Amino acid sequence: MTRRTAFEARDVGETGLRTAAAMSRPAPPGTLFRAATIDDSVFFAALYASTRAEELALSGWPAAMQAAFLAQQAAAQHAHYVQYYGDADWWVLERNGRPIGRLILAHWPSQHRIVDIALLPEARGRGLGGAILASVIAAAEAGGKPVSIHVEKANPAMRLYRRLGFATVEDKGVYDLMMRPAAAPGRVDTAGLRPPVS
């Protein structure tokens, strides 16, 4: 029998997995997290495209070619995440009933891994990412676990990760594997973070 991930299963009760749908996740003010469903695949493709559009615009390719390439890359990323992180919690961040971001979070015995955290352009730079990361860190620290994430070296959010205590533990070429060690429970340093703006 092939195991279905929480993301692939419309009826979460069909899975024997711990799923996002069976839990709640704290969200920044004015937003809420809900468990992802198969119906979110169009949003996930658009979200992926929004994270790459500026970079791809420099290619000089025609718009149709850029769109096709982004769709192919989004599908490849999704297939990779489902294959390697199918047991992770897949969350969609919403504001006023409209999806604005996602968080894919794996809970491993040794650590919590942020598989993906992404926000639409209009939701970036408003403190939401920092608030989400602080929540992830607090939950990991409550269990005495570090938090890890792969971050592109040129990602502007690199400064935020470093401010929150993440450090590069492995150079993966284009990406750095970053880790934030577990500290004493309840001691998340959010100095320098601004409160989220709705």
Side-chain angles (χ1 to χ4, degrees):
M1 180 173 129
T2 303
R3 255 178 32 170
R4 298 172 68 201
T5 68
F7 179 75
E8 294 170 317
R10 284 185 178 269
D11 179 1
V12 175
E14 292 177 19
T15 70
L17 305 174
R18 178 174 62 86
T19 66
M23 304 177 308
S24 64
R25 161 137 224 100
T31 66
L32 65 87
F33 275 111
R34 66 165 173 78
T37 71
I38 199 73
D39 296 327
D40 291 308
S41 59
V42 171
F43 168 68
F44 287 162
L47 180 63
Y48 176 85
S50 80
T51 68
R52 301 315 244 194
E54 189 175 303
E55 166 190 358
L56 199 55
L58 301 174
S59 70
W61 293 355
M65 185 181 287
Q66 289 182 39
F69 179 77
L70 288 169
Q72 182 272 332
Q73 291 294 297
Q77 181 193 62
H78 180 78
H80 176 81
Y81 287 170
V82 168
Q83 180 178 357
Y84 293 100
Y85 304 103
D87 289 348
D89 296 333
W90 292 57
W91 298 97
V92 173
L93 183 67
E94 292 186 336
R95 178 187 290 133
N96 299 323
R98 183 175 163 269
I100 61 168
R102 81 168 170 190
L103 172 67
I104 303 175
L105 185 62
H107 303 269
W108 297 339
S110 63
Q111 63 188 272
H112 289 189
R113 167 69 56 89
I114 300 170
V115 176
D116 191 42
I117 179 172
L119 297 167
L120 289 174
E122 62 268 22
R124 296 178 200 151
R126 304 175 65 79
L128 293 173
I132 293 166
L133 289 168
S135 170
V136 168
I137 292 166
E141 286 192 344
K145 295 182 181 179
V147 178
S148 64
I149 184 171
H150 285 98
V151 182
E152 284 187 351
K153 293 179 189 303
N155 187 331
M158 184 71 81
R159 293 184 307 274
L160 172 62
Y161 293 116
R162 294 204 188 285
R163 275 199 324 262
L164 290 172
F166 286 84
T168 299
V169 294
E170 188 176 349
D171 184 326
K172 301 278 213 167
V174 175
Y175 296 91
D176 281 347
L177 175 59
M178 301 186 80
M179 180 86 68
R180 185 191 191 281
R187 298 198 48 209
V188 178
D189 180 12
T190 57
L193 289 181
R194 57 190 160 154
V197 178
S198 298

